[in-house]
Amino acid sequence: RDTKLVGSDQLAAFYAFFPRSDSTADWLARINEAARASNVTLQSGEYKYERRSEQKLARYQITLPMVGTYGQMREFIGTVLSQVPAASLDEVTLRRDNVARQRIEARVRFTLYLSSGGAS
């Protein structure tokens, strides 16, 4: 028996992959835990929820200013991308005022894609 999905079944399986928007707090907790585990210091972030009525997926943009070493930031980003599968890495900006310093400032922007079911 052929187990391939066709047409609308493929589309339904695609949308079923994404977490519901009412699970946002759980995903944010995973991101914060990844920062703690990587020894990255998160500063106050910016959060923007966007959903257009004609779209089935909502976008939750998460912009996080942080401080840490380059290695810690790589570890943090890798952990987020592996533990939050519906997240994408959209932007990374690194800044180091003094070349001799190990710690750098960064700004990372993730987008968490959520199904439109449930509240934000």
Side-chain angles (χ1 to χ4, degrees):
R1 186 183 122 158
D2 191 0
T3 59
K4 288 184 182 179
L5 299 176
V6 292
S8 62
D9 291 338
Q10 286 179 324
L11 190 57
F14 171 77
Y15 285 118
F17 166 81
F18 295 96
R20 291 173 46 101
S21 59
D22 60 2
S23 68
T24 302
D26 297 332
W27 298 110
L28 293 176
R30 286 189 190 196
I31 291 170
N32 283 316
E33 179 54 37
R36 277 192 295 280
S38 302
N39 294 313
V40 169
T41 303
L42 294 181
Q43 299 168 343
S44 63
E46 299 172 28
Y47 303 88
K48 179 183 174 188
Y49 181 81
E50 181 180 300
R51 181 178 175 272
R52 296 189 180 125
S53 60
E54 71 275 6
Q55 296 177 339
K56 292 189 179 194
L57 294 178
R59 296 180 335 150
Y60 196 71
Q61 281 190 341
I62 306 159
T63 303
L64 301 169
M66 65 179 103
V67 177
T69 66
Y70 179 74
Q72 290 168 331
M73 291 182 190
R74 281 185 53 139
E75 180 183 339
F76 166 69
I77 291 168
T79 300
V80 169
L81 293 176
S82 68
Q83 292 186 4
V84 184
S88 67
L89 176 63
D90 300 331
E91 178 183 339
V92 178
T93 305
L94 303 171
R95 192 177 104 211
R96 180 168 50 186
D97 292 333
N98 183 342
V99 177
R101 288 182 50 196
Q102 289 287 325
R103 296 182 66 78
I104 55 178
E105 295 177 15
R107 187 178 110 110
V108 176
R109 188 176 74 221
F110 293 103
T111 297
L112 178 60
Y113 293 92
L114 304 160
S115 73
S116 59
S120 61

